[in-house]
Amino acid sequence: MDRPLKVFSGSCNPQLAESIAKSLGVPMGKAKLGRFADNEVSFQILENIRGANVFVVQPTAPPVNEHLMELLIMIDAFKRSSANRITAVMPYYGYGRQDRKDKPRVPISAKLVADLLSTAGTSRVITMDLHVGQIQGFFNVPVDHLFAAPVMLDYLTSLDLQDLVIVSPDAGGVERARAYAKRLKVPLAVMDKRRSESSNEVEKIYVIGEVEGATALICDDIVDSAGTLCKAADALLEAGSARVLACCTHPVLSGTAVKRVAESNIEQLIVSDSIPLPPEKKNHSKIKVLSVASLLGKAIHSVHEETSVSSLFV
């Protein structure tokens, strides 16, 4: 039996969902998503999905709670409408930074979100550049953990950057940065952040590795306030770098982050469209947005056809 493939979208990033559907050659699923007068989520599927493989595209980007609740309610509706398999496509996994108890009496919210998705009826999760890979172990359903690296690397290769050095902004991001450095066949450097004991703010950043005269590319998974990123750029220039660029998969860019980047020594911030950016951020001269729709589309096609997804992992 050939099961139909259905792509639906929440309100977070409908443009990405439409691009994914286009890459797959299927129409967007018909549904009505809205709010009741008291702001409760209202959702209705407007077509028959019995026996279908349903893929719900919904990054849980800010406002995280709104988008997470939408996703859970949508999954519940698909489950009660007898979908064969429901895959949550979450290019950005909200609460991913709360993955461990780093202080006394705090939650592990990344695990709670995984439990909520499973309870709602999720059969599988497709996500991208988790803050830490171990979050996959929080799920009792299969997780396809993709990376934006293939898209980023294609663009970086086209720039033909001379004397390039890949820089990890901290010790936790070394594995990610090493993957970029290995593929581009360039050296690797690491930033060592020292925090003030009184305020826990970054007081000094040291560069471990040779960056003098080089084009430094800082590779990160998330840029939120961009404060540390801009300080890292200053530290690299102080260490002798000729120029500094940065790339990240998830451009949260909250508050005055774009203003900080604009006023910083970073020449260009390369990001993916895992999180939708408003026009004033998307069209900023220092921000370059690359689409991961084709990459996610290939993963969805492989999951639907039950073929290997491993070729998409970097």
Side-chain angles (χ1 to χ4, degrees):
M1 175 185 175
D2 268 346
R3 297 190 182 278
L5 186 161
K6 302 283 187 180
V7 177
F8 289 85
S9 174
S11 68
C12 183
N13 201 342
Q15 297 86 1
L16 178 61
E18 287 167 10
S19 297
I20 290 170
K22 187 177 180 180
S23 75
L24 290 165
V26 298
M28 284 294 297
K30 297 174 184 175
K32 184 168 69 175
L33 177 66
R35 294 289 188 276
F36 290 108
D38 62 356
N39 209 39
E40 287 182 359
V41 177
S42 163
F43 181 69
Q44 183 184 9
I45 305 158
L46 302 177
E47 61 180 293
N48 178 29
I49 60 156
R50 186 179 296 274
N53 288 336
V54 171
F55 295 84
V56 195
V57 181
Q58 176 80 327
T60 47
V64 180
N65 299 338
E66 288 279 323
H67 293 141
L68 177 60
M69 198 65 203
E70 275 184 15
L71 179 59
L72 295 171
I73 287 171
M74 291 169 73
I75 290 167
D76 184 73
F78 293 126
K79 180 179 70 174
R80 296 178 190 278
S81 301
S82 302
N84 172 58
R85 187 169 59 201
I86 305 160
T87 301
V89 183
M90 304 171 69
Y92 174 66
Y93 186 84
Y95 287 104
R97 285 174 283 182
Q98 298 183 43
D99 60 287
R100 66 197 185 282
K101 287 190 70 172
D102 56 350
K103 294 187 283 288
R105 298 173 295 280
V106 296
I108 304 180
S109 304
K111 165 63 174 166
L112 174 61
V113 171
D115 289 342
L116 288 168
L117 288 164
S118 297
T119 301
T122 308
S123 312
R124 191 180 197 97
V125 173
I126 296 175
T127 189
M128 181 171 283
D129 280 295
L130 289 168
H131 188 58
V132 289
Q134 295 90 318
I135 291 173
Q136 296 172 80
F138 293 168
F139 287 88
N140 293 319
V141 297
V143 176
D144 293 307
H145 182 203
L146 307 180
F147 300 91
V151 176
M152 296 284 183
L153 289 166
D154 282 348
Y155 177 72
L156 292 170
T157 302
S158 73
L159 294 178
D160 192 27
L161 299 168
Q162 301 300 310
D163 300 316
L164 181 64
V165 175
I166 302 297
V167 181
S168 172
D170 51 38
V174 170
E175 186 179 351
R176 180 184 309 105
R178 187 189 292 121
Y180 277 73
K182 185 178 177 182
R183 290 288 296 274
L184 292 168
K185 298 179 182 178
V186 297
L188 174 69
V190 182
M191 313 293 285
D192 176 32
K193 294 182 285 193
R194 302 293 172 94
R195 296 184 181 275
S196 165
E197 290 182 12
S198 57
S199 64
N200 201 37
E201 290 184 359
V202 174
E203 193 175 64
K204 181 71 176 173
I205 300 180
Y206 298 93
V207 181
I208 303 170
E210 184 55 57
V211 297
E212 189 169 351
T215 297
L217 175 70
I218 305 169
C219 291
D220 211 347
D221 61 331
I222 300 170
V223 172
D224 190 351
S225 67
T228 303
L229 181 70
C230 295
K231 287 181 180 177
D234 293 340
L236 285 164
L237 289 175
E238 285 176 20
S241 293
R243 50 196 294 223
V244 180
L245 294 86
C247 68
C248 79
T249 304
H250 310 301
V252 177
L253 298 175
S254 55
T256 58
V258 173
K259 185 172 182 286
R260 282 199 182 106
V261 171
E263 295 172 352
S264 75
N265 290 306
I266 297 168
E267 284 188 21
Q268 189 177 57
L269 175 60
I270 306 155
V271 303
S272 85
D273 58 352
S274 67
I275 292 176
L277 292 177
E280 66 272 15
K281 294 182 180 180
K282 186 175 182 178
N283 299 325
H284 194 280
S285 59
K286 277 196 175 185
I287 297 175
K288 174 66 177 178
V289 182
L290 306 176
S291 180
V292 291
S294 178
L295 185 65
L296 290 165
K298 288 175 184 174
I300 289 171
H301 182 265
S302 294
V303 169
H304 177 65
E305 296 292 334
E306 299 185 346
T307 58
S308 176
V309 188
S310 60
S311 63
L312 302 176
F313 301 152
V314 174

